Amino acid sequence: MKTIFKTALVAAAVAVAFGAQAQGYPSKDKTVTIVVPFAAGGPTDRVARDLAEALRKPLGGVSVVIDNAAGAGSTIGTAKVARANPDGYTLLLNHIGMATMPALYRKLPFSVPNDFEYLGMVNDVPMTLIARPSMPANNYKELATWIDQNKGKINLGHAGLGAASHLCGLLFQSALKVEMTPVPYKGTAPAITDLIGGQIDLLCDQTTNTTSQIEAKKVKAYAVTTDKRLTTPSLKDLPTLSESGLKDFQVTIWHGLYAPKGTPADVLKKINDALKVALKDPDFIKKQEGLGAVVAADKRIEPAAHKKFVQAEIDKWGPIIKAAGTYAD
C-alpha cells in the first residue's frame, strides 16, 4: 500500500512539474532551437530559417535559432533531437527523409514512428525532370522514346543517398520499369554542373535547385512531379509526368516539424498553434513561393494527420527503396 501511495505521489509531482513547465512555455529567458539535419545554405536550411523568423512572434517573441547538425543522410541531426530534453526548446525540421530513413538504413538510433511528437507539416516542394542541354528529345514523349532506345546506357545523377533527387530517380525508374546507371554526387550543385556539361543524362530534383537553371536555359526541362501544373511563370508550361503518361506519378519533398517524444501535451499545443499562425504569415508564404515551395494549408498541419501522412510515405517508399537494393550501414 505504501509503495502504491508513494508511486502515486511521484506521478502527481511529475504531472504538476509538467503542468508548470507548460504554463511557462515559452520562457523569454530560453531559446527555441530548430535542428536542421543538413548543412547551412541548402533548401531545408532556408525553409527552417524562414520558419524560425515566422515563429518568433506567435511564440511570444522568444528567440528561435537554427542548429545545423548535418551528416549521414540527416540521421545525425534527427538522432540529436530524439535524445534531447522533451521540453519544447529543441525541435526538428526534416524533409521526406523522415519517411525514407527506415528503409535506407539497416540500423537507426531512433524510431521514426515512436521517438518523436509530430507537430505539423510545413510545405511541399515540387520536383522537375531535367536533362543535359544536348539531349536530342524536345518534349517528354520524345524523351520516353529516347530512354526506350538507350536502355543500359543512361546515366541518372543524384545528390547522394536519400537525397530528393535520389528518391525521385528511384521512383522514375520504377514507373518506367527501366534501370539506369546511378551517378551519385556530394550535393546537388556538382550534379547540376555535370548535367550542364553533358557528363550525365538526367536528373530529377527540387524546383529550389532547378528553376534558375531552367530559366537560363542551361538544361532541358520536361515535366513536373506534382498532380497539377505549377503556376511559377518559368515552369507553368511544363506538363506533369502524370499527364505525360506516367499515371499517378507524384512526388514532392515535404518538410515537417517534430519534437522529442514525451514533450508535454500543453507545450505541443502551443507550438502547433504557433506553427499554424506562422504558416499564414504573408512574408513566410512569399519567401516559400520564391523557393518554389507550397506552404501547407490542409489537414496535415494537425499533428495526427501529419503522423498519418508520414506513415503513408513510409509505406510508399519502403518497397521502392528495398526493390532497388539501396541501403546504408
Side-chain angles (χ1 to χ4, degrees):
M1 182 65 72
K2 288 183 179 180
T3 301
I4 296 173
F5 182 68
K6 185 176 180 181
T7 302
L9 283 177
V10 171
V14 170
V16 169
F18 274 157
Q21 182 184 57
Q23 288 177 5
Y25 181 89
S27 169
K28 289 188 178 181
D29 296 330
K30 293 186 177 182
T31 297
V32 174
T33 298
I34 298 178
V35 175
V36 176
F38 301 98
T44 301
D45 177 68
R46 293 171 68 184
V47 172
R49 291 179 189 277
D50 290 345
L51 181 64
E53 187 174 338
L55 281 171
R56 286 190 181 100
K57 187 175 180 180
L59 281 177
V62 69
S63 178
V64 184
V65 301
I66 301 300
D67 174 16
N68 294 99
S74 85
T75 61
I76 291 176
T78 304
K80 183 176 183 177
V81 175
R83 297 190 301 264
N85 186 15
D87 57 6
Y89 291 98
T90 302
L91 307 177
L92 169 72
L93 183 88
N94 204 352
H95 63 16
I96 195 173
M98 289 295 280
T100 58
M101 283 187 287
L104 280 171
Y105 291 86
R106 298 180 192 277
K107 292 183 180 180
L108 285 173
F110 52 82
S111 166
V112 172
N114 301 317
D115 289 345
F116 300 92
E117 303 289 355
Y118 289 65
L119 290 164
M121 293 294 294
V122 176
N123 67 11
D124 290 286
V125 183
M127 308 282 284
T128 50
L129 178 65
I130 58 177
R132 54 183 165 84
S134 58
M135 176 66 69
N138 293 310
N139 53 52
Y140 180 77
K141 184 177 180 181
E142 292 179 4
L143 179 66
T145 299
W146 180 86
I147 290 173
D148 188 60
Q149 294 172 345
N150 288 274
K151 291 179 180 177
K153 299 184 293 182
I154 303 169
N155 292 322
L156 177 67
H158 67 75
L161 184 69
S165 49
H166 177 225
L167 299 173
C168 188
L170 289 178
L171 188 61
F172 185 56
Q173 293 175 83
S174 176
L176 287 177
K177 294 180 174 57
V178 172
E179 288 190 15
M180 303 178 189
T181 301
V183 183
Y185 291 85
K186 292 183 178 179
T188 300
I192 290 182
T193 296
D194 273 9
L195 185 72
I196 293 172
Q199 280 75 44
I200 55 175
D201 299 309
L202 299 170
L203 179 70
C204 182
D205 208 349
Q206 304 173 67
T207 53
T208 48
N209 295 321
T210 63
T211 300
S212 62
Q213 308 299 336
I214 294 171
E215 290 175 342
K217 300 188 185 303
K218 291 183 178 181
V219 297
K220 281 193 172 181
Y222 294 98
V224 294
T225 63
T226 47
D227 59 344
K228 297 179 182 178
R229 294 194 182 199
L230 304 180
T231 58
T232 308
S234 59
L235 305 176
K236 63 182 178 64
D237 292 328
L238 287 179
T240 67
L241 277 172
S242 185
E243 72 178 89
S244 299
L246 291 182
K247 295 297 183 183
D248 300 321
F249 189 104
Q250 293 179 34
V251 54
T252 59
I253 302 306
W254 44 266
H255 292 87
L257 192 65
Y258 310 86
K261 188 71 174 181
T263 303
D266 287 353
V267 172
L268 293 173
K269 185 178 187 309
K270 286 186 177 183
I271 300 171
N272 179 254
D273 288 345
L275 176 63
K276 291 175 182 176
V277 173
L279 296 181
K280 293 180 180 179
D281 184 314
D283 190 47
F284 177 72
I285 293 172
K286 183 177 180 180
K287 287 178 179 178
Q288 293 306 290
E289 288 176 344
L291 295 175
V294 180
V295 175
D298 55 50
K299 63 183 181 180
R300 295 175 303 162
I301 64 175
E302 298 292 346
H306 176 197
K307 186 170 186 177
K308 183 178 180 181
F309 171 78
V310 174
Q311 185 59 56
E313 288 283 275
I314 290 173
D315 295 341
K316 170 184 174 180
W317 286 104
I320 295 170
I321 293 169
K322 289 175 182 176
T326 305
Y327 298 101
D329 294 327

